[in-house]
Amino acid sequence: MKVGLIMGSDSDFPVMKKAIAIFKEFGVEYEVLLASAHRTPAAVREFVSTAEERGISAFVVGAGMAAHLPGVVASYTTLPVIGVPLESGSLQGMDALLAIVQMPSGIPVATVAINGAKNGALLAVQIGAASDAALAKKYKAYRENMANEVMEKNQKLQETIKSL
């Protein structure tokens, strides 16, 4: 699997690098583009419209404020697009969340939580796992590990409670 990761500004990188960490953890290839839906639309169009030729099968796209970038990406492709609303401006990401989640009928963009780049990457992994047995096995182990960590924390909590 290969994912296209797009962000509209270098200020988005501290959040979006969490997606890169997930891709590395799962051995998912990725390409990164920093480009603006408004200031560099030709670069966005070129990257997205040629993505399938380069083996990209999904996009994770971070955007703040008006958050047009995920929708613009979706307009250039039929591949899955996952929008990550980024906290910025006076509305603290609510404007980005609403802009991404309110895509017009027929041009879907999956939307994760504000600053949810990690979940955006995990959703891309799930999409890839639907047709890649090795990736599905890695994802299942990841989920099982999370569950085990919670149960270990519960055990420690129970022991602490007993000692009160």
Side-chain angles (χ1 to χ4, degrees):
M1 170 177 209
K2 188 174 187 181
V3 178
L5 180 80
I6 306 173
M7 61 193 95
S9 170
D10 59 346
S11 64
D12 301 339
F13 185 66
V15 171
M16 297 304 290
K17 71 181 179 182
K18 295 173 185 173
I20 293 171
I22 291 294
F23 298 146
K24 287 183 175 186
E25 181 175 345
F26 282 91
V28 170
E29 293 182 58
Y30 58 92
E31 292 183 21
V32 178
L33 175 69
L34 190 157
S36 167
H38 302 107
R39 295 178 294 257
T40 59
V44 174
R45 182 179 60 246
E46 175 67 20
F47 184 80
V48 174
S49 64
T50 61
E52 284 187 80
E53 298 165 18
R54 297 189 316 280
I56 290 174
S57 56
F59 293 94
V60 176
V61 185
M65 301 180 85
H68 292 114
L69 188 56
V72 169
V73 169
S75 75
Y76 293 130
T77 187
T78 57
L79 296 174
V81 177
I82 301 158
V84 179
L86 299 170
E87 185 177 338
S88 61
S90 60
L91 298 178
Q92 301 175 334
M94 285 301 296
D95 49 346
L97 174 65
L98 294 173
I100 296 170
V101 80
Q102 292 293 335
M103 287 299 299
S105 180
I107 308 294
V109 173
T111 310
V112 294
I114 296 169
N115 288 347
K118 181 177 178 180
N119 269 358
L122 288 168
L123 182 54
V125 167
Q126 282 183 295
I127 290 167
S131 60
D132 180 333
L135 190 56
K137 184 177 178 180
K138 287 180 187 177
Y139 185 70
K140 183 178 179 184
Y142 178 87
R143 295 280 298 258
E144 288 171 353
N145 185 54
M146 283 194 317
N148 290 336
E149 288 175 359
V150 170
M151 296 313 298
E152 288 171 12
K153 290 177 183 179
N154 177 60
Q155 184 60 39
K156 288 180 183 176
L157 176 63
Q158 297 306 319
E159 291 169 9
T160 300
I161 292 170
K162 285 179 185 177
S163 68
L164 293 178

